[in-house]
Amino acid sequence: MPAPLARPPRDLRLDVLRGWMQISIFISHVVGTSLAWGIHAAWGLSDSSEMFVLLSGFTLGSVFSLKLARGGAVAALRDMLGRAFRLYRTHLTVFFMFAAMVIAADMFVPMPFAVDRFGWRFLVDMPWAALPAAAAMLYQPDFMGILPVFVVGMLLLGPFMLLQQRIGAWALAPSFLLYVAANLGWVATPALGGTTIAFEPLAWQFIYLLGAWSGRRALHGEPLPRAPWMLALAAAILILGFAARLVEHGFVAGPGLAALALQHKEVLAPARLLHALSLAYLVAILVPRHADWMETAPGRALAAIGRHSLRVFCTGLFLAWGVSRITEVHPELGLILVLSGIAALWTVAVWSEGRVAARSAAIR
């Protein structure tokens, strides 16, 4: 009989990486900040979005596998559906709160055309049509496109993991074919209300399920291969991405086609996918599970942000939008506002840590 699966010890790398990605996402959402030069998205083909989707699939893939082994398919599927519903509820809550903020800014603050500029006119003029479209996650004004990808990924994860249990890596074949079809333009999710689908779920589901496949392997103790040729290939892809960015920024001369590799984020273009996977592979192989720097004050702050990434992410959306609007009028305040926003995200994480500790103490 195989040994029963045990919950693995928490990997501090994942918390620290998620924390850094949350800060990177916040900075990337602020329009025009000079701090954008300090995040890895400025120097490679992929950004924190790809990494976060991959890590979410990785984490929930191992969670599903553990629950499947302990409680069976019904219990594992019920748990995943519950997680998907809670995230869907969070998406709708953020949607309506964001709508209220933008509409209030348009009405009461000297910020004319905010409703039209950021994609909320459909809701204002045709709420009877916009509300069902929002409930279906097909109406996506600015900043409303990423959480639906996670909801779709969670809904697909359960059936995918059950198929993976039967046929192994071949379970990725339908997901990959769907990804290819989305990149070729053969299939597409319809966008309503004059908006666009910022993250095509028919394409992004592949990196999510690839993460879930890796999470199941990790739970079963199957380590990543460390072949020298794989390390060299991953490093070469990162170097090519860096070179493409240098060309795009105008720092070096190069073919104009280099910038094309940076486009089509909405369908997770192959160059972006390969870059994200290469970066994730090198981090997993080269960064130790625990290092002294992770216990420093910055490391602990990043880990706290990473442990409460959903709440931090949602808070960051509102902060980034507000900071962007202020710096459009007062650009001299940009740096201090962005740094204050990062401090606010850390404060939210610390507050969340306290809530978790208090709940655990109450249970005991």
Side-chain angles (χ1 to χ4, degrees):
M1 294 291 292
L5 290 178
R7 185 181 298 276
R10 194 173 189 96
D11 192 336
L12 189 57
R13 291 178 302 179
L14 297 181
D15 292 332
V16 172
L17 286 172
R18 277 192 287 249
W20 167 247
M21 286 186 290
Q22 286 302 328
I23 292 177
S24 299
I25 290 171
F26 170 71
I27 291 174
S28 68
H29 282 164
V30 176
V31 177
T33 176
S34 59
L35 291 179
W37 291 101
I39 61 177
H40 79 271
W43 306 106
L45 303 184
S46 64
D47 57 32
S48 295
S49 301
E50 290 89 350
M51 287 300 196
F52 211 79
V53 173
L54 179 70
L55 284 183
S56 177
F58 179 89
T59 302
L60 289 183
S62 62
V63 168
F64 185 92
S65 296
L66 187 62
K67 291 187 177 295
L68 178 65
R70 291 181 174 179
V74 173
L77 288 170
R78 185 186 300 117
D79 174 76
M80 195 56 57
L81 286 174
R83 292 172 185 268
F85 174 75
R86 290 191 293 273
L87 184 60
Y88 173 73
R89 185 176 58 195
T90 298
H91 167 68
L92 291 183
T93 301
V94 170
F95 180 95
F96 290 116
M97 291 178 64
F98 216 93
M101 178 181 67
V102 175
I103 293 170
D106 194 293
M107 294 176 61
F108 305 114
V109 180
M111 194 182 298
F113 310 115
V115 167
D116 295 286
R117 182 180 171 189
F118 302 108
W120 296 95
R121 175 57 59 188
F122 184 46
L123 178 64
V124 172
D125 290 349
M126 303 177 64
W128 59 88
L131 292 177
M137 302 185 294
L138 300 178
Y139 172 43
Q140 298 182 2
D142 283 11
F143 290 1
M144 297 296 109
I146 185 60
L147 289 183
V149 170
F150 291 93
V151 174
V152 172
M154 289 181 182
L155 293 175
L156 294 175
L157 188 144
F160 167 77
M161 297 298 288
L162 294 178
L163 184 62
Q164 181 186 357
Q165 189 181 40
R166 288 181 172 272
I167 63 174
W170 284 104
L172 286 167
S175 175
F176 177 71
L177 292 175
L178 186 58
Y179 165 78
V180 172
N183 268 267
L184 293 175
W186 295 350
V187 294
T189 301
L192 303 178
T195 60
T196 59
I197 301 297
F199 299 84
E200 173 56 73
L202 300 178
W204 282 76
Q205 52 78 30
F206 177 62
I207 193 172
Y208 192 93
L209 296 183
L210 190 60
W213 175 76
S214 303
R216 183 182 185 277
R217 284 174 52 89
L219 184 67
H220 286 266
E222 302 176 35
L224 285 172
R226 295 172 176 262
W229 70 268
M230 294 183 66
L231 289 167
L233 179 60
I237 291 173
L238 294 193
I239 293 171
L240 288 174
F242 179 69
R245 278 296 192 185
L246 291 179
V247 172
E248 185 211 18
H249 297 323
F251 295 143
V252 297
L257 291 176
L260 292 178
L262 305 170
Q263 299 176 9
H264 305 303
K265 179 179 179 178
E266 70 282 358
V267 291
L268 187 59
R272 301 185 69 98
L273 176 63
L274 288 174
H275 186 273
L277 295 179
S278 298
L279 181 58
Y281 175 75
L282 290 177
V283 169
I285 294 296
L286 301 179
V287 177
R289 292 177 64 90
H290 191 278
D292 291 340
W293 65 268
M294 296 180 186
E295 296 297 340
T296 63
R300 291 196 300 271
L302 289 175
I305 293 172
R307 282 191 290 270
H308 304 282
S309 54
L310 178 59
R311 182 173 286 141
V312 169
F313 171 77
C314 295
T315 303
L317 291 180
F318 294 91
L319 288 176
W321 192 86
V323 169
S324 296
R325 304 293 76 78
I326 294 173
T327 54
E328 286 177 347
V329 181
H330 301 286
E332 70 279 3
L333 299 177
L335 181 60
I336 187 64
L337 287 176
V338 174
L339 293 177
S340 299
I342 293 172
L345 298 183
W346 174 73
T347 302
V348 170
V350 171
W351 174 76
S352 301
E353 294 268 88
R355 289 193 64 187
V356 171
R359 191 179 302 118
S360 299
I363 293 175
R364 288 196 297 267

